[in-house]
Amino acid sequence: MRGQGENKTMTLAVINSRALDGLAAPAVQVEVHLANGLPSFTLVGLADTEVKEARERVRAALTTSGFSFPHNKRVTVNLAPADLPKESGRFDLPIALGILAADGQLDADRLARHEFAGELSLAGELRPVRGALALALGLQRAGQERALVLPLASAAEAARATTVVVHGARHLLDVVRAMQPGDTAEPLPRSLPPPPEPGAGGPDLAEVRGQAAAKRALEVAAAGGHSLLMVGPPGTGKSMLAQRLPALLPPMDEAEALASAALQGLAPGGFDPARWGRRPVRAPHHSASAVALVGGGTPPRPGEISLAHGGVLFLDELPEFPRAALEALREPLESAHITISRAARQASFPAAFQLVAAMNPCPCGYLGAPAASGRSCRCTAEQVARYQGKLSGPLLDRIDLQVEVSAVPAAEMLAQPQGEPSGVVAARVAAARGRQVARQGCANAALGAAQLDALCPLDEAAARFLQQAAQRLGWSGRALHRVLKVARTVADLDGAHTLGVPHVAEALQFRRALPG
């Protein structure tokens, strides 16, 4: 038992850091408390296994870096707020600095002007952390006048947040030296590559011979940000066309590029700085589950639809995807975001992706093939109905453009001249997209129902034509709205303000039913 006059010294240090909660980065205070008593190292604050293992990494990193670890003290680390789950090794660096500050080896006041994140090796080297750009954007949104200190590889990603001062370090010793009095460390220089030119990079549309209707649909989809479904026999060029869509899209603006890069940084592969400003293209295999597509897990992580935010999600062999996975796309296609709810956590991610899908008309693929091709459909009517029935009506209703990609005979294909290059088509797409942004601030595919009357004026003949078509085909309100959006895009490509019969008629041609 301690006597009344016995010394009970204790020291406290507080280091600023951030956690990841979906795409958000809430502030975390790493409180380190040293006290006399039975030597121990306790870590509290709703930390998962990766964070709790920081005790051994931090202890080894401090001793191998030449610092004294307070082995004869009770070390208590609290990650506040206590009700926010903490995961990954990003708290290694702030814990190590907190121990040094609490032990009097570092100036706590200087540390308070920074936020820290980084995983430590046993030798004290700093390893990259996931979501570095999200951490920087969280600090930017908070409006705190603090600098962000990260491992060097992560700092290059975080430096994309241009209003945040970012410092990069290779080793724990580098950080400690920079925190010494009189240090004048410079922020990480930002060398951002220029945005890609429209039509630059990727395969060229000129390589596709024939398929004029499908190429026109691709141009309309790129101009208005519309979803596209291509239906046709094997070998007709569906995948070839889909691969050429990214080169037609305009470059991302600063806000889109930041959001896309932040989401990519949450993925296991991280964000590739060479891809800055380029629209992402995701093409998951048809065995992907609903969780892989929309996101999930504990903690919730973005799925393919969020990783394709601002870019293209290509689903080849669409009916082969699990039905639950396809139905999970319905809400994000409408709302452009996804909310993942679990028992203890909830996370929201943006999902403004452009869906491009391809499928065969039947299980064997040759339904409706011309007799000259020498291949005829072997499927029964029941098999065809079952195959096409894998795509629900509500899902098809949300796909703006549905085009048939027919087989082109080899002799006719060889005789076809080379088509327009991607750069020429991309210039028309950029001009049409510019008209849309100037008029309503977004692409036509993102228009709400309340905006259609004002932004899609129809002349008298076009209004009468559209009304007759809607009645004859039995369209839903959603289908009618999507036809109007596509007609608006066709008119934008023509530079027309009012929608005429040719614009509406072309939009109608892009909603063909599946052959059956």
Side-chain angles (χ1 to χ4, degrees):
M1 181 179 294
R2 294 179 182 272
Q4 288 184 351
E6 188 172 350
N7 183 20
K8 300 180 181 178
T9 60
M10 59 183 70
T11 310
L12 177 68
V14 179
I15 309 296
N16 298 303
S17 187
R18 290 192 177 268
L20 278 180
D21 186 14
L23 197 54
V28 170
Q29 288 189 323
V30 180
E31 302 171 338
V32 180
H33 178 248
L34 303 184
N36 293 330
L38 188 66
S40 64
F41 192 165
T42 306
L43 200 156
V44 297
L46 205 57
D48 71 357
T49 303
E50 290 173 310
V51 181
K52 290 179 179 177
E53 290 172 348
R55 292 175 296 188
E56 306 308 320
R57 291 193 297 269
V58 168
R59 192 196 311 268
L62 287 174
T63 54
T64 55
S65 300
F67 301 105
S68 61
F69 185 86
H71 294 284
N72 59 341
K73 299 283 188 180
R74 285 179 56 109
V75 181
T76 304
V77 177
N78 177 43
L79 306 178
D83 60 346
L84 176 69
K86 323 296 188 309
E87 48 88 23
S88 91
R90 70 175 55 86
F91 298 106
D92 290 5
L93 178 59
I95 291 172
L97 295 175
I99 291 174
L100 293 177
D103 200 35
Q105 301 179 57
L106 268 181
D107 181 9
D109 291 335
R110 187 170 178 83
L111 292 172
R113 300 196 292 270
H114 299 77
E115 291 190 1
F116 302 89
E119 181 183 334
L120 286 172
S121 73
L122 299 185
E125 297 172 344
L126 287 172
R127 290 174 172 158
V129 293
R130 185 174 59 87
L133 181 54
L135 299 179
L137 293 175
L139 177 57
Q140 179 175 282
R141 286 190 294 267
Q144 298 284 351
E145 293 185 1
R146 298 190 187 119
L148 183 61
V149 180
L150 294 168
L152 199 58
S154 300
E157 175 186 334
R160 308 284 169 170
T162 53
T163 62
V164 176
V165 178
V166 179
H167 297 279
R170 298 181 185 275
H171 198 279
L172 174 61
L173 287 170
D174 298 335
V175 180
V176 173
R177 291 191 194 103
M179 293 298 111
Q180 299 297 336
D183 175 79
T184 56
E186 293 294 327
L188 188 80
R190 296 180 173 88
S191 59
L192 307 184
E197 292 294 327
D204 199 321
L205 190 62
E207 298 167 359
V208 181
R209 302 294 182 105
Q211 302 296 3
K215 287 193 284 190
R216 173 62 174 175
L218 209 65
E219 179 179 346
V220 173
H226 301 289
S227 51
L228 169 66
L229 171 63
M230 293 179 284
V231 185
T236 54
K238 302 185 296 295
S239 299
M240 191 176 183
L241 286 161
Q243 291 165 2
R244 282 147 180 80
L245 176 62
L248 307 183
L249 298 174
M252 306 174 98
D253 59 30
E254 183 74 13
E256 286 179 316
L258 278 173
S260 175
L263 286 162
Q264 300 291 330
L266 300 179
F271 169 67
D272 180 7
R275 298 288 303 170
W276 172 258
R278 295 186 181 273
R279 296 190 181 275
V281 180
R282 308 292 297 191
H285 190 260
H286 61 253
S287 60
S289 65
V291 172
L293 283 182
V294 303
T298 305
R301 301 224 178 150
E304 293 290 340
I305 64 172
S306 294
L307 297 177
H309 175 71
V312 175
L313 176 68
F314 177 46
L315 302 183
D316 201 3
E317 306 294 345
L318 187 65
E320 302 300 335
F321 281 81
R323 176 69 178 258
L326 294 180
E327 294 304 302
L329 297 177
R330 286 160 52 176
E331 181 184 345
L333 278 171
E334 199 78 21
S335 63
H337 77 275
I338 181 72
T339 299
I340 302 167
S341 298
R342 297 295 180 262
R345 305 267 314 256
Q346 186 181 78
S348 292
F349 298 104
F353 62 95
Q354 188 168 350
L355 175 65
V356 179
M359 62 176 286
N360 298 325
C362 66
C364 78
Y366 295 105
L367 179 65
S373 67
R375 294 178 175 178
S376 58
C377 179
R378 304 184 303 272
C379 306
T380 65
E382 182 181 355
Q383 288 174 322
V384 173
R386 189 183 306 115
Y387 180 78
Q388 296 183 3
K390 293 180 180 180
L391 306 181
S392 68
L395 176 62
L396 288 173
D397 224 18
R398 287 168 165 84
I399 299 179
D400 299 340
L401 307 175
Q402 302 168 23
V403 297
E404 183 180 354
V405 183
S406 303
V408 179
E412 182 180 335
M413 186 182 300
L414 293 173
Q416 288 277 354
Q418 201 171 43
E420 290 182 304
S422 293
V424 174
V425 180
R428 291 199 298 267
V429 167
R433 185 69 69 92
R435 296 184 184 103
Q436 296 164 37
V437 173
R439 182 177 58 238
Q440 70 244 4
C442 64
N444 287 333
L447 286 175
Q451 300 173 279
L452 294 179
D453 288 340
L455 300 177
C456 302
L458 295 159
D459 62 31
E460 185 177 346
R464 188 165 53 250
F465 176 71
L466 181 61
Q467 184 178 16
Q468 292 171 353
Q471 289 177 346
R472 185 171 68 253
L473 298 174
W475 282 344
S476 65
R478 180 187 291 115
L480 178 61
H481 288 166
R482 292 192 176 268
V483 168
L484 277 173
K485 294 178 188 179
V486 174
R488 175 70 272 172
T489 300
V490 174
D492 286 335
L493 285 168
D494 285 347
H497 171 68
T498 303
L499 277 61
V501 172
H503 306 133
V504 175
E506 186 172 0
L508 291 177
Q509 290 297 311
F510 290 137
R511 289 196 70 86
R512 295 177 180 173
L514 286 169

